[in-house]
Each structure stands twice: as C-alpha cells, then as structure tokens.
Amino acid sequence: MKFAYLAGLSLSLSVFAQLSAASDKDRCGKVTLADMNWNSATLIAHIDQFVLNHAFNCKAELVPGDTMPTGASMIEKGEPDIAPEFWSNSMKEAIDKGIREQRLMVAGKTLSEGGEEGFWVPEYLVRQYPELNSIEGVLKHTELFSHPEYSDKSAFYGCPAGWNCQISAGNLFKALKLEQAGFDLVDPGSGAALSGSIARAYERQEPWFGYYWAPTAVLGKYKMVKVDFGVKPDVEEFLNCTTQADCLSPKVTMYPPSPVNTLVTASFAEQSPEAMAYLGRRSFTNQQMNQLLAWMEDSQADGEMAMEYFLREHQDVWQAWLTDARAEQVVQALKRL
C-alpha cells in the first residue's frame, strides 16, 4: 500500500514537472508590437495586443512603428517583437538577410491574398460597357474619361508625386502606350485627392480610370473593377524595371501581389510557440480588410475602437484562429470592457 502510494505520488510529481516544463517553455511574458501609422496596421496591432494579453496571458504593449525603422530595429536590436503588418517588398533584401541569419521569422500572412495594386474603373461603368474590364476595352472608349482641364485629352489618375507607386504607375502608363491613345497622366497631388476623385465620380456616376490599391477604405466603399492587361504578372520585370525610375523600356505586366506578412523576432518565436501559432493563423482577405477600413473611416474610429468592433461583430472570423478555450477567454475579456 505504501509503495503504491509512493508510486502514485511519484507519477503525479512527474506529470506536474512535465506540465511545468511545458508551461515554462511557452511562457509569453512581455511582448512589444509595432503600431504602424496606417489604419489596417494599427487595427491589427490592437487586435493582436488584446488577444495575446487575454488568450495567452502575455504582457503585450504597443510601440510606435513604421516600415523601414521597424524592420531595421527588429534586425539589429531584436525589438519590437512583432510587426503585425509588414509589406516585405519595401525592404526585401534586408528582411531576407535577417531571415537567413535567423534573426527574424515570418509568422504568417497578414493579408492572405497579399497587397493588391492595379488600374481600376467603376463597376457601374463595366455594367454599361462590359469590355472596360480589359485594357483593350478602355482604349476603345477613351472618350468616356474626360479630362478635368483639357477637352482634347482623356484622364488617367496616377499615384501622387513622391510615392513609390508613382514610378510603377508611370512606367505602366508608358508600357501600355496610354499617352498615344490620348490619355494624360494626372497627378492627383495627394492620396486624399486621389480617393476624392473616385468618390466624386461615384457620387455623379461618371467614368473614372486610374491607379489604386487594396486593402483600403475606398475599395471597401466603392465597387471597382481591376482592368486586365492581358498578361500575367512578371515579377522579375516588375522588380527590375517597372518599379525603377531609370527603367527606359518598361514592358506590360500586371501588378504582382505584394507580400504582407507578420514578422517576429527569433527570440519571440522561441519564447511562445502557441502565441506564434496564433499569429500564423491570423489572416485577413482583402475584402474583409476593405470593409473594416471603410467602417473605420465612416465611424472616425481609431485602432482601439476598430479592434473592439471587429472582435464583437466578427467572432466567426477570429475564433477560427484560436482554440475554443482561448477564444472563450477573449469573449470573457470583451464582456469586461
């Protein structure tokens, strides 16, 4: 009897030791997340902070971030621990090197389809002229796209001056020979003016043709159709010529998807494998994010307000990222807000 008791006690202690070791291995502790200065990024950062704190018992805090300085700091200093929305092409060589040197890891895709760029026309216009979903159709109807200043030209709204996309949009404008077809490359002057031109066209149900990207509030509010150039994305051409200011002979290519990932430091990945697994599952489609950004804009909501809205109104989305037990912890935390 005594030996059975001691054997049982020994087994219990062994199980306890194993559980303790597993717990130590996955102790989350203090975590820093980059709160980037655009709406989708700050929304995701606030979602991750809330989930990590309440589902994984982390001590997660947000720190200000932006793509270039955050990427450099994660590589050189190992902080912050997490960049929830990182557009990797913006500093691809440095990020790839950081991954090779095992300083960084990609936890998963923030945007499952990647960032999306293209030339667009309003959906209501395509319903009237179905051929406008292709560049050949657009070139057959140049007269529809009246210019705000010149009666003898058609308007193509490009990317604002000083933005990286100004180069790619300009090179594709040249490759597609839009100027020869009668189009003028209009510099909208700012991102707000570019989105305003789409909103104005929609309010008046007028033709519009130009560059835009997703996910954005604009493409969440206004249904637009991406114009098909008749070719597949050529990543090598895009990186080596389309996006280069000194590209002399650009070729036609569709915009390839821009990888938008969640980056973490190697130390965080080792620190909390279960939280790391959550980040690997946490992902949004462009349509989901477009709609959330449209809600943020209409509600004048910041990242914290949008996080609460998302967690309350879209439980079917985020609960799939967690076990039932961890999802319930988040639900209970929401009730305490």
Side-chain angles (χ1 to χ4, degrees):
M1 188 75 175
K2 179 179 179 181
F3 291 114
Y5 170 78
L6 290 175
L9 179 61
S10 176
L11 179 61
S12 299
L13 289 173
S14 175
V15 171
F16 178 77
Q18 290 174 22
L19 292 172
S20 298
S23 177
D24 287 342
K25 187 178 180 181
D26 197 60
R27 184 168 292 153
C28 186
K30 183 179 178 182
V31 181
T32 51
L33 300 100
D35 186 5
M36 306 287 201
N37 57 359
W38 60 91
N39 279 353
S40 57
T42 192
L43 164 61
I44 297 170
H46 278 84
I47 291 171
D48 286 348
Q49 180 190 30
F50 195 88
V51 171
L52 290 174
N53 281 343
H54 297 288
F56 297 93
N57 297 316
C58 302
K59 295 179 180 178
E61 61 181 58
L62 303 181
V63 296
D66 204 350
T67 303
M68 303 296 276
T70 294
S73 180
M74 290 178 75
I75 294 168
E76 296 167 10
K77 302 177 183 178
E79 55 186 36
D81 297 295
I82 304 169
E85 182 184 321
F86 201 93
W87 292 65
S88 305
N89 277 352
S90 55
M91 51 184 307
K92 188 176 186 305
E93 289 185 13
I95 296 302
D96 287 349
K97 183 180 179 183
I99 292 172
R100 285 196 306 271
E101 294 176 352
Q102 298 184 343
R103 299 184 183 195
L104 296 178
M105 291 183 67
V106 174
K109 293 182 177 181
T110 308
L111 300 176
S112 58
E113 302 153 303
E116 186 177 15
E117 298 177 273
F119 291 1
W120 308 77
V121 293
E123 184 187 68
Y124 56 77
L125 199 61
V126 176
R127 287 200 298 267
Q128 188 175 358
Y129 302 95
E131 62 270 30
L132 290 178
N133 66 357
S134 70
I135 194 64
E136 291 86 357
V138 170
L139 294 176
K140 288 178 183 177
H141 294 282
T142 56
E143 76 285 349
L144 291 174
F145 305 97
S146 58
H147 197 288
E149 297 179 21
Y150 306 111
S151 59
D152 61 335
K153 294 183 179 181
S154 301
F156 170 83
Y157 289 86
C159 191
W163 290 25
N164 288 344
C165 53
Q166 183 192 27
I167 297 172
S168 61
N171 279 331
L172 286 172
F173 180 90
K174 181 179 178 180
L176 292 164
K177 299 181 179 179
L178 294 181
E179 184 175 7
Q180 292 91 315
F183 281 98
D184 178 48
L185 178 53
V186 178
D187 179 357
S190 68
L194 179 59
S195 60
S197 69
I198 296 176
R200 187 165 53 253
Y202 242 84
E203 289 167 5
R204 301 172 181 175
Q205 294 288 284
E206 294 177 344
W208 187 93
F209 176 44
Y211 167 88
Y212 217 74
W213 71 98
T216 49
V218 165
L219 294 188
K221 286 183 178 182
Y222 308 113
K223 292 185 178 180
M224 304 289 284
V225 174
K226 185 160 63 173
V227 175
D228 188 348
F229 296 163
V231 297
K232 294 182 178 180
D234 184 335
V235 176
E236 186 175 344
E237 169 70 15
F238 185 79
L239 294 176
N240 296 330
C241 189
T242 310
T243 54
Q244 304 303 313
D246 58 356
C247 175
L248 299 178
S249 302
K251 298 176 182 176
V252 178
T253 173
M254 292 294 285
Y255 282 89
S258 299
V260 185
N261 297 320
T262 299
L263 283 187
V264 301
T265 59
S267 59
F268 171 79
E270 185 178 352
Q271 174 182 328
S272 184
E274 290 194 18
M276 180 73 171
Y278 152 74
L279 293 174
R281 291 188 293 268
R282 190 266 293 120
S283 187
F284 297 85
T285 66
N286 283 337
Q287 183 179 9
Q288 288 170 335
M289 187 53 68
N290 285 339
Q291 291 171 349
L292 288 169
L293 293 175
W295 181 89
M296 286 182 75
E297 185 170 290
D298 290 342
S299 306
Q300 297 184 330
D302 60 13
E304 186 174 7
M305 292 170 60
M307 171 273 293
E308 185 173 347
Y309 165 80
F310 170 74
L311 292 178
R312 290 189 187 281
E313 302 298 326
H314 296 278
Q315 293 194 19
D316 58 318
V317 176
W318 63 261
Q319 287 188 355
W321 305 334
L322 298 166
T323 64
D324 290 345
R326 293 190 189 277
E328 181 59 26
Q329 288 177 267
V330 175
V331 170
Q332 293 306 316
L334 281 171
K335 291 179 180 178
R336 296 192 292 270
L337 289 180

